[in-house]
Amino acid sequence: MKILLQTIEKRFKLIAVFLLALILIAFFDKALAIGLMLLIVLTGLTFWIIKKLGLSRKYLVMLLLIALAIQLSATLFIHYANFQPLGITGDGDFNSYHEEAVEMSLHFKEGNFSMEGFKLSHYYTIVIGVVYTLTLPEMIVGQLFGVWLSVLAIIFVYLIVIELGGSEKWAFFTGLITIAYPSFLFYSSLLLKDTLVIPFALLTMLLTLKLIKSFSWRNFLFFVVSLSIAFHFRYYIGYALLFAFLFSWLLLARLSSIKRKIVYSIIIIIILGFLPMVLRGHGFYGINIFRDSFTSKNVNFLQERAYNPSFPVILTGLAGSAELAEFAEPIEINASMPLINNRFRGFASTWDKEEVNPQREPLRFLTNQLKYFGYVLLGPFPWQMRYSRHLFALFELIPWYILLFFICRGVWESIKSRNKLILPLIIFSILALGVMALFLNNFGIITRIRIPIFMTLLCLIPLGFKSKVPTLTAVAIEINSACNRRCAWCPNHTNHREVKFLDEKVFFKAIDELRAMNFRGKITFNLYNEPLLDERLLGFISYVKKNIPLASQYLNTNGDLLNLDIWEKLRKAGLDYANISQYDGKINENIEKILKGIDLKEKKHFRAFVFDQDSICNRGGLLKSKREIKVPLKKYCSQPFYQLCIDYKGKVVLCCNDYHGAVVMGDVRNNSIEELWGNGKFRHYRKELLKRNRSNLKLCDVCDS
């Protein structure tokens, strides 16, 4: 409540203007004013959640506001201008959904929550009925609720790009492209169930990527809920998402042990297998619907009659399965419908499907399906458009062909860079488009159903433009700020840092992200600290070993706190090598004892050496070097090309010579390591260092390294 009051006080003028505007709008259109108020509340809630999740970044907030403005403008225009470029009549789904939702809201207000008497094939009208009950039973209110859902879809597109390794700028740019996607802009402005299908399909894909990169039961619970919603409203989209997740997770997910992965896989397979049975009555993993739908009789029925009926179709019990009703939307025959090939074809843009028995002529059937797949992906082509108004589709198709080239480029670059995270996106798209190619030939419904598929594919575009960044081969994580020595050649000699410890959540997040990057390089636990002063060290080493077994772990230490027992524990936890710097001009007694207690093979992992004080640099200008060198040097430096340094605050600093964090590249808490490693600041330093130009580089201009 205190935070709310502070926000109101801080934004009082802006809130006052909004309220005044709503009051004025209410004089002319009460429903619009209430709908806008609902949209403002939902948008405010979205901002709050984004902030709580730590996602409140400049580009995401900008994208949210732009998406809100564009979708709101489109919805208001389509509603008040009755804009129907494709000739959708007053009998469209959105009108029937509205009428049913209005009736439901009247029942709800009377305290009657029974669904008796309503013909429910899905719960979309219930959702809208609840919205009407809480606000006003007017279509514009439901449409403005859809505006909020559309904004959520754009947010999920942004986050998918980030999960795939794209930059924030590219995620923002992809979101802008998606906002301008004509079918999305148009259908999301109508009162259609697609306003729910699209965001939940994208959310399911986002959670798929997260679970592959770092599995957690909390995210899996959200995944199941999101998938269930997508499943309910468009079950063939649900199946595509389900199998894309299963195949990708089993193939790509990396858990700490094979045993753990096997156990998790068994639990996941069992849980997900029940979804089709519980939600749709399709049987375990949909065995019943697959058995019924993929027969020649039912395939031909859906291809030839479901969308082009020659008589009013009542699908319950027809063609072997009532579940096929979702593929068909029966219409009443109109005398004005053109008769083609002795069948009424309606007003939609379609193509003729050839009836082929897949058992008798499998090759011919497969060839046809590949052709139909091309139609679904690239159509409708001009020769498949039956009326001049269908040419509006060209405003979408021509840009789509251009974008498809860049999508293919993104796939190709991902294959070259071994970015396996594209796999679930590709599998989902192929499966969903394949189902449409098999069962549908009506572009009116195809352009609606394929929206989440096309939006998913658009997320691949940034992967074709990722800047060439060097391979990350070394990561230094300063797990604490303490050191038990004050050496004259170290900044700790004159700078007494407060003893602090790196938040372990930051450490685990960094390791999880390195695992997702298939990191195989070197990990150390220090910058200007003594790692052995941190009692969590053994746990950290163990976590790295379990999650990134191919990484090499190094302990850089002065050795003062080391003995044979500790060394054996470190090795057992998973430490690979130790570099012991002896600062007293000799190998100290405790180190000598360790060397005597280990065998020759083990000594390869234990390197003790007397530190050469003359080799030290000036640590970015903080120390006086024994070498008389004029700075700035015209000299190349390799450190920003291979090493990423995280200080005890969780900040990524320029290099190991940046004691004070003078050049901060970002914060591990707010950005991914992959994003930080390839960000603009790092690129600038690398570019100038390649030119041997340090004069305009902070820290480098006074460093003699």
Side-chain angles (χ1 to χ4, degrees):
M1 182 60 70
K2 184 179 179 181
I3 296 174
L4 178 62
L5 292 174
Q6 289 176 345
T7 303
I8 293 174
E9 185 179 354
K10 188 177 180 180
R11 307 291 183 187
F12 178 76
K13 290 184 179 180
L14 185 62
I15 294 171
V17 170
F18 267 122
L19 290 175
L20 181 60
L22 286 174
I23 292 170
L24 291 173
I25 291 171
F27 276 112
F28 300 97
D29 193 328
K30 182 181 178 182
L32 176 59
I34 291 176
L36 289 172
M37 178 60 76
L38 173 66
L39 182 58
I40 291 169
V41 171
L42 292 174
T43 303
L45 179 63
T46 305
F47 272 114
W48 180 79
I49 292 173
I50 286 174
K51 189 173 182 180
K52 282 292 182 182
L53 293 175
L55 300 173
S56 186
R57 302 168 190 169
K58 178 180 70 174
Y59 285 109
L60 180 56
V61 172
M62 285 172 53
L63 182 64
L64 191 158
L65 294 173
I66 293 171
L68 181 64
I70 292 176
Q71 191 66 50
L72 175 60
S73 300
T75 300
L76 294 178
F77 172 73
I78 288 169
H79 177 80
Y80 288 103
N82 195 27
F83 179 68
Q84 296 293 341
L86 301 179
I88 299 177
T89 66
D91 296 325
D93 288 348
F94 52 92
N95 284 306
S96 60
Y97 290 159
H98 169 66
E99 291 169 4
E100 195 169 54
V102 169
E103 191 174 345
M104 280 186 185
S105 69
L106 295 175
H107 281 234
F108 294 160
K109 288 177 180 178
E110 293 171 357
N112 181 5
F113 299 100
S114 170
M115 295 294 107
E116 188 177 350
F118 293 101
K119 297 178 181 179
L120 295 173
S121 60
H122 50 74
Y123 294 156
Y124 177 66
T125 49
I126 296 179
V127 174
I128 300 302
V130 171
V131 172
Y132 285 173
T133 303
L134 297 174
T135 54
L136 200 66
E138 295 286 345
M139 182 178 286
I140 186 61
V141 177
Q143 288 176 287
L144 292 178
F145 176 70
V147 169
W148 174 67
L149 292 171
S150 302
V151 171
L152 289 184
I154 298 298
I155 292 173
F156 296 146
V157 166
Y158 176 97
L159 295 175
I160 288 172
V161 173
I162 295 296
E163 287 297 324
L164 289 170
S167 67
E168 290 188 18
K169 288 184 180 179
W170 265 110
F172 173 76
F173 183 63
T174 306
L176 291 181
I177 294 174
T178 310
I179 296 169
Y181 175 15
S183 285
F184 173 66
L185 199 61
F186 176 69
Y187 288 118
S188 295
S189 298
L190 302 177
L191 206 63
L192 296 169
K193 70 176 181 179
D194 300 274
T195 56
L196 279 169
V197 174
I198 295 167
F200 280 103
L202 292 169
L203 176 58
T204 305
M205 182 54 64
L206 173 63
L207 291 168
T208 295
L209 295 174
K210 284 186 171 294
L211 289 168
I212 289 172
K213 293 170 74 173
S214 179
F215 185 85
S216 75
W217 288 111
R218 184 189 66 174
N219 281 346
F220 181 70
L221 175 62
F222 290 141
F223 170 82
V224 171
V225 172
S226 180
L227 177 62
S228 299
I229 294 171
F231 220 105
H232 169 76
F233 288 106
R234 193 84 77 186
Y235 74 82
Y236 34 99
I237 293 292
Y239 276 118
L241 289 165
L242 171 62
F243 291 121
F245 167 78
L246 276 175
F247 185 81
S248 302
W249 192 86
L250 291 172
L251 191 65
L252 304 179
R254 301 180 69 183
L255 275 70
S256 57
S257 67
I258 296 296
K259 180 181 177 181
R260 187 181 176 201
K261 185 169 183 176
I262 291 172
V263 172
Y264 281 21
S265 298
I266 292 172
I267 296 172
I268 288 170
I269 288 171
I270 292 173
I271 291 173
L272 294 182
F274 281 108
L275 284 184
M277 180 184 294
V278 174
L279 295 172
R280 308 287 304 199
H282 288 180
F284 193 72
Y285 273 107
I287 188 171
N288 294 339
I289 191 69
F290 290 136
R291 181 193 60 214
D292 294 340
S293 299
F294 290 94
T295 63
S296 297
K297 181 181 179 182
N298 287 334
V299 169
N300 290 325
F301 163 75
L302 288 165
Q303 289 180 349
E304 296 298 326
R305 301 175 69 180
Y307 281 97
N308 299 295
S310 57
F311 50 85
V313 180
I314 301 175
L315 284 171
T316 303
L318 188 63
S321 174
E323 292 297 341
L324 298 177
E326 180 166 346
F327 285 102
E329 297 177 1
I331 59 174
E332 294 294 334
I333 294 303
N334 188 310
S336 64
M337 290 183 179
L339 188 64
I340 299 176
N341 296 334
N342 297 318
R343 296 196 308 274
F344 287 104
R345 297 304 302 271
F347 295 103
S349 182
T350 62
W351 75 83
D352 289 321
K353 284 197 169 186
E354 185 179 1
E355 186 172 331
V356 179
N357 189 311
Q359 285 82 28
R360 295 177 184 174
E361 300 177 277
L363 185 60
R364 186 178 166 196
F365 178 81
L366 180 61
T367 303
N368 279 346
Q369 290 312 125
L370 289 173
K371 178 175 68 176
Y372 302 152
F373 186 92
Y375 290 168
V376 173
L377 179 65
L378 303 172
F381 295 108
W383 59 87
Q384 293 168 326
M385 300 178 184
R386 301 190 178 280
Y387 298 93
S388 58
R389 61 174 173 265
H390 293 159
L391 293 174
F392 272 100
L394 294 176
F395 287 105
E396 176 177 312
L397 291 175
I398 294 173
W400 172 245
Y401 297 152
I402 298 170
L403 292 171
L404 194 58
F405 168 79
F406 293 108
I407 290 169
C408 293
R409 176 177 172 174
V411 173
W412 175 245
E413 290 296 329
S414 296
I415 292 172
K416 289 199 300 183
S417 63
R418 299 183 181 181
N419 184 356
K420 298 176 183 177
L421 283 175
I422 67 168
L423 186 63
L425 283 74
I426 299 299
I427 294 175
F428 163 66
S429 302
I430 291 175
L431 289 178
L433 291 173
V435 169
M436 283 189 276
L438 182 63
F439 290 115
L440 309 179
N441 70 333
N442 182 309
F443 284 109
I445 187 64
I446 285 172
T447 53
R448 281 170 57 183
I449 296 174
R450 73 186 182 188
I451 291 173
I453 305 163
F454 279 14
M455 290 173 73
T456 299
L457 290 173
L458 288 174
C459 295
L460 297 170
I461 291 176
L463 303 183
F465 292 90
K466 289 184 71 175
S467 58
K468 302 296 182 182
V469 296
T471 303
L472 178 62
T473 59
V475 176
I477 306 177
E478 192 176 37
I479 60 176
N480 59 63
S481 64
C483 186
N484 59 312
R485 285 189 175 239
R486 291 290 181 268
C487 303
W489 54 86
C490 175
N492 277 327
H493 180 69
T494 55
N495 297 271
H496 298 285
R497 296 194 292 184
E498 185 180 0
V499 176
K500 292 283 187 179
F501 293 88
L502 176 70
D503 186 345
E504 62 182 23
K505 291 181 181 178
V506 175
F507 181 88
F508 295 142
K509 177 179 182 290
I511 300 305
D512 290 344
E513 289 172 355
L514 289 172
R515 177 187 62 194
M517 294 168 62
N518 295 318
F519 180 76
R520 300 187 179 191
K522 175 181 176 181
I523 294 178
T524 59
F525 304 91
N526 71 292
L527 284 175
Y528 292 93
N529 62 304
E530 171 50 58
L532 290 171
L533 288 171
D534 196 325
E535 61 184 17
R536 304 173 300 171
L537 180 60
L538 286 173
F540 286 161
I541 292 172
S542 178
Y543 190 83
V544 173
K545 189 65 177 178
K546 288 179 181 178
N547 288 276
I548 323 178
L550 297 178
S552 298
Q553 298 188 70
Y554 285 75
L555 176 67
N556 296 325
T557 174
N558 56 41
D560 292 352
L561 305 175
L562 201 56
N563 58 43
L564 184 58
D565 180 54
I566 293 175
W567 169 248
E568 289 175 348
K569 288 179 180 178
L570 291 168
R571 288 287 287 148
K572 187 176 181 180
L575 185 70
D576 295 293
Y577 301 96
N579 293 321
I580 300 95
S581 301
Q582 297 289 268
Y583 298 127
D584 299 323
K586 62 178 182 179
I587 302 297
N588 294 337
E589 185 179 345
N590 62 317
I591 303 302
E592 289 281 8
K593 288 181 180 179
I594 297 174
L595 289 169
K596 289 177 182 179
I598 59 178
D599 58 27
L600 186 62
K601 184 179 179 181
E602 188 68 6
K603 286 179 181 178
K604 293 179 181 179
H605 299 272
F606 190 90
R607 179 171 174 255
F609 60 93
V610 176
F611 182 74
D612 179 11
Q613 300 181 23
D614 295 333
S615 66
I616 197 71
C617 72
N618 69 1
R619 296 297 188 191
L622 287 179
L623 304 174
K624 186 175 181 180
S625 175
K626 291 186 177 182
R627 299 173 293 175
E628 293 295 334
I629 298 175
K630 185 178 180 180
V631 293
L633 298 176
K634 289 187 177 181
K635 181 184 176 184
Y636 167 78
C637 178
S638 65
Q639 290 204 40
F641 291 84
Y642 75 92
Q643 184 183 52
L644 183 129
C645 299
I646 304 171
D647 71 10
Y648 67 94
K649 299 175 184 176
K651 308 284 187 183
V652 172
V653 296
L654 174 60
C655 68
C656 61
N657 289 321
D658 193 355
Y659 178 84
H660 287 299
V663 182
V664 175
M665 298 300 184
D667 194 317
V668 176
R669 289 168 293 190
N670 301 326
N671 306 94
S672 71
I673 285 180
E674 188 170 11
E675 183 181 355
L676 290 166
W677 183 241
N679 71 15
K681 212 167 184 180
F682 258 129
R683 292 201 304 270
H684 172 67
Y685 269 77
R686 291 176 190 134
K687 181 179 178 181
E688 294 302 315
L689 287 171
L690 280 173
K691 297 177 182 177
R692 302 175 183 271
N693 177 22
R694 299 192 182 196
S695 58
N696 62 342
L697 298 180
K698 186 177 180 181
L699 197 71
C700 298
D701 59 350
V702 294
C703 185
D704 65 357
S705 174

